[in-house]
Amino acid sequence: MQPAYLEDFARPRGTLSPRAWFRSDAAALDLAGPWRFLLSPTLLGAPDGFWRQDFDDGDWAVLPVPSSWPMHGHGRPAYTNVNYPFPVEPPHVPTDNPTGDHRLAFAVPAGWPGADRGRVVLRFDGVDSCGRVWLNGHELGVTQGSRLPAEFDVTPWLRPGETNVLAVRVHQWSSASYLEDQDMWWLPGIFREVRLLARPTGGVEDFFVHADFDHTTGAGALRVDCAAAARLSVPELGLVDAPVNYTHRIRAVRAWTAETPQLYAGELVTAAERVPIRIGFRTVAIVDGVLTVNGRRIVFRGVNRHEFHPDTGRVVPADTVRAELELMKRHNINAVRTSHYPPHPDVLALCDELGLWVVDECDLETHGFGRLGWRRNPSDDPRWTDAYLDRMRRMVERDKNHPSVIMWSLGNEAGLGANHGAMADWARGRDPGRPIHYEGDRECRYVDVYSRMYADHAEVDAIGRRAEKPLDDPALDARRRAMPFMLCEYAHAMGNGPGGLTEYQELFERYPRCQGGFVWEWLDHGIRRRTADGREFFAYGGDFGEPLHDGNFVIDGLVFPDRTPSPGLVEFAKVIEPVRIEAAPAGIRITNRYDYRGLDHLRFEWRLEAGGEPVASGELDVPPFGPGAYADVAVPPGATGGTGERWLTVSARVAHGEPGLPAGHEVAWGQLPVGSDPTPDASVPAGRRPTRLGREITLGPGTFESAHGRLVRLGGLAVEGPRLDVWRAPTDNDSRGPSAIASRWRQLGLHRMTDRLVDLRHGDGQLVVVTRVAAAQQEIGLLTAYTWTADDLALGLRVTIEPDGEWPVPLPRLGLRMAVPAELARVEWFGGGPGEAYPDSRRAARIGRFGAAVDGLQTPYVFPQENGNRAAARWLTLRDDAGRGLRVEGRPTIDFAARRWTSEDLDAARHTTDLVARDRVILNLDVAQQGLGTASCGPGPLPRYVLRAAPTTFALVLHPVPAAR
Ligand code: IPT
């Protein structure tokens, strides 16, 4: 038997009406710090009377508050995506319900305002999932709604000048857990601030700032609704001691947008309290089926952001939050969906300040019911209506004064029911200034925008043309077809990927209706752990012994758990860059892809490189022009000189620092080939003749064994291979989703291919080795002919591949694998870089000369998988400290990856620390790879990026490199 409040359809008890979040000059006491803590596995096992003031907690643990207690060694984190980790029998909760008793004895200074001057409120900004609260032995009530604030009136019980005792019993599971089934770790605790707030009589209880912008006149309309006898001052707008509840018309204001986050500082003043406020003028409207802000169409270049930290769980330190939002700005991201709950209030204040559009989402998801045919889903059950409304109210009231918030979201993946209608109706009544979003409302009964997740490119294209599949109900269909469209989730950033971003962006640029989207998701929610011998790794689902879990599906972000950017983020930044710089017949085309700004905040630099070496550089004069327009600028006259392959790189950099963007930061770049087109060197070395001596064949600097016909020595270097390689350690996008192509690869044995020597011929200045590459118990194979030639210094290799039989699946990769001594640890190349690139994720790779250690070429995906490919190398060298090693030249280019382990090692590893360096460097030289796609949740690679087995020829040159003198 559970107490009634735990199964009361997620209704809080004893809490005050919700109101706007703000800080003021009224007294406040932050109760963060070390608290006493005791975890009991069941409610019955928890100590009776722990809330009493004189209870002896001397032998309890000490726990910081705010905290997620499993991150501090009490219980364990658990991860599920859709599934509830308890039986689905709403509103009941399991008997084994971890119960965390928290106690804090704290002094309230004498003279602290008490009942004589107003009331005192105890505020919790986040308690997961349900907290029963006592002050000095008096029960105050019960919180529900983990990511929402809860306030209690403590005036009668607080004792200024004395020691007070706050006791909070937090239950991991409550009926509210049915509404909080988001795809994330289950982490109970008091994870946001707990504060005592003096609420002076005559203070500002609540207020609602309405700040509209009239884009036709540039005028602003400012009205602050406030029930208190307050006066409003915004000196910059000429408002001093002005009335509230009155619309002030201001002839000219600067508008707030994500690109120009203009805030006006003001103050609401009563006799008892001063509240600083920040005002951003903007008007959100849907006009002719297009979402506009201040009269202009916007495009979301967005991410879904969860609140998580690898060491502290749901508690994200303030400096981490600022750093990550600035990181978004520096990667051209302009929007955040607060998946799937309202964030810490400071996040929204920062979005106001830095300039990010926000879709603020309610703390509501009942996804697990979907697996049960949505039977008993709370969304359509009147017993839960109060809870749905309560959550919507608490979000809207808390966050209503943030200009960055331009849309309310009813939640995520909760099916659909009348309770959604009630939420939407209430929100529209309270705040007509913001459209309503909910992806689960497929027919758009209750919402204002059509939103989808993971729709493929073809479907988005149809929606863009307003030619999507009709709904059965013609009225609903007509209504939805007239709505703007957004992808609240797309481009699942799990592991290596996402692929296909460019093609989505093209659709957002082609169709006014397609207003961009939000990549799923910003962050890998890995938990930092160490192996027994002290090596750090990030844990995921199942690593804490959870009986039911979803493995590494929680590792699907654009940044790693420590918030270092993954290659996917670098690619996204390039694809969404607000300035496009590209070759045009008349020189350089510069396109302004901002929604509002001109380009005067940028300065343009050019740099000419020949063969990757700098030749000349300068500044580029770009005439001013507005969003959506372009200009063609001549190639600067100084951009001449150099020989060989010459590239002109133009960068757009921030001229003077602005919020989140330091001066000099590169916002966008483009490259164009200049001068005569580079004529690739097609020749391969020739002239030397092969000779056979016993089992070995020598040809120029190469020595081959004759059993397989493989190169074993190159100059003085021991090597293995090269030989045909088609295997890659499957990416998450290869392994998962309905297509799960990796399992078909394994069925065909692509991870265990063998060679049969078909022919080995020498003479005529060449060595020809023919093999058939195939797997056990398979009929199909790849006939591979290696034609070797040489001069005194280098080997030439031409490879011809013929599929033998019908190949039913695309290949993972097509190329060569070889091994070289471990000492060749330094890599340099001229080609695409500096980061990794794959066929459908290579916009961020620029042509240049790059260097890295072999170890530095690895991308440490939390779940190991194929990574590190460098695209289109004209040449590369691998050398030891003395400069000795190997040079490979593409004819004309070759992709490469160099690592201390094999693809098989990568495939077998489950965590980064499973990867152990071998005594070789393994070098992959690829002519092609299968695209990445986003099939882990969404479409696979587009057809043009699918690597079909087909006759293929490519060539390269291998040079031994002697030690530098
Ligand atoms: C979608 C969820 O909304 C999101 O929370 C996350 O789980 C994502 O999937 C996958 O990582 S829902 C899914 C059924 C498309």
Side-chain angles (χ1 to χ4, degrees), residues 79 81-82 182-183 306 337 339-340 365 367 412-413 453-454 489 492 520-521 553 556 936-937:
Y79 166 59
N81 168 12
V82 174
Q182 292 95 343
D183 175 6
H306 264 286
R337 173 178 177 232
S339 55
H340 299 302
E365 173 159 343
H367 210 160
N412 185 59
E413 293 284 7
M453 42 173 85
Y454 308 106
E489 295 177 24
H492 199 248
W520 186 267
E521 65 176 305
F553 208 58
D556 53 1
S936 56
C937 190

Side-chain angles (χ1 to χ4, degrees), residues 748 772 778-782 803-810 948-949:
L748 286 174
R772 188 174 183 280
Q778 297 298 328
E779 287 182 300
I780 54 173
L782 296 161
D804 183 15
E806 277 304 309
W807 277 79
V809 292
R948 299 264 167 239

Side-chain angles (χ1 to χ4, degrees), residues 48-281:
D48 209 21
F50 89 101
W51 51 85
R52 281 199 288 271
Q53 242 181 318
D54 58 359
F55 182 89
D56 181 5
D57 60 17
D59 58 350
W60 285 23
V62 173
L63 178 76
V65 170
S67 60
S68 292
W69 77 60
M71 303 302 285
H72 298 267
H74 305 285
R76 288 156 163 248
Y79 166 59
T80 60
N81 168 12
V82 174
N83 293 320
Y84 287 105
F86 48 79
V88 181
E89 41 167 349
H92 301 299
V93 300
T95 304
D96 293 325
N97 187 0
T99 304
D101 287 333
H102 298 68
R103 282 174 55 93
L104 177 74
F106 62 100
V108 179
W112 216 72
D116 51 329
R117 271 176 282 164
R119 29 178 217 170
V120 180
V121 158
L122 173 66
R123 180 178 176 103
F124 294 88
D125 280 309
V127 179
D128 190 336
S129 80
C130 168
R132 189 172 170 195
V133 187
W134 294 261
L135 182 66
N136 297 331
H138 297 278
E139 182 167 356
L140 300 171
V142 177
T143 72
Q144 308 257 307
S146 298
R147 270 69 58 173
L148 290 161
E151 287 185 327
F152 299 97
D153 185 353
V154 296
T155 323
W157 320 115
L158 190 74
R159 298 196 205 105
E162 295 175 29
T163 295
N164 291 255
V165 175
L166 179 59
V168 188
R169 170 160 285 174
V170 180
H171 305 273
Q172 171 154 13
W173 308 121
S174 64
S175 53
S177 305
Y178 286 99
L179 307 187
E180 296 173 8
D181 188 27
Q182 292 95 343
D183 175 6
M184 59 188 187
W185 294 97
W186 296 95
L187 286 175
I190 303 173
F191 68 97
R192 288 182 188 156
E193 285 83 342
V194 183
R195 281 169 305 156
L196 277 177
L197 304 174
R199 301 302 318 134
T201 308
V204 175
E205 266 314 292
D206 190 15
F207 60 95
F208 196 164
V209 176
H210 305 272
D212 295 328
F213 180 74
D214 182 342
H215 67 277
T216 60
T217 62
L222 174 64
R223 178 190 174 93
V224 178
D225 291 333
C226 181
R231 304 293 291 177
L232 170 69
S233 285
V234 191
E236 240 189 300
L237 299 174
L239 294 177
V240 178
D241 200 25
V244 295
N245 307 321
Y246 172 85
T247 303
H248 301 275
R249 311 232 167 244
I250 299 133
R251 213 166 38 78
V253 296
R254 273 163 294 163
W256 189 96
T257 73
E259 292 170 10
T260 54
Q262 170 69 45
L263 292 173
Y264 291 93
E267 214 177 25
L268 264 184
V269 184
T270 70
E273 188 174 25
R274 309 179 82 88
V275 181
I277 59 175
R278 295 194 304 184
I279 297 152
F281 289 92

Side-chain angles (χ1 to χ4, degrees), residues 179 182 340 362-366 388 391 410-412 420 423:
L179 307 187
Q182 292 95 343
H340 299 302
C362 199
D363 193 357
L364 183 63
E365 173 159 343
T366 65
Y388 276 56
R391 282 164 189 250
L410 305 180
N412 185 59
H420 286 116
M423 292 168 95

Side-chain angles (χ1 to χ4, degrees), residues 563-603:
R563 290 174 164 80
T564 53
S566 80
L569 178 62
V570 180
E571 177 76 3
F572 188 44
K574 174 66 180 152
V575 168
I576 61 175
E577 59 190 359
V579 181
R580 187 147 310 146
I581 302 166
E582 60 204 342
I588 310 163
R589 176 156 303 172
I590 315 262
T591 309
N592 179 346
R593 301 223 70 99
Y594 282 105
D595 295 329
Y596 299 92
R597 300 187 94 170
L599 302 180
D600 20 316
H601 63 294
L602 301 174
R603 97 191 135 66

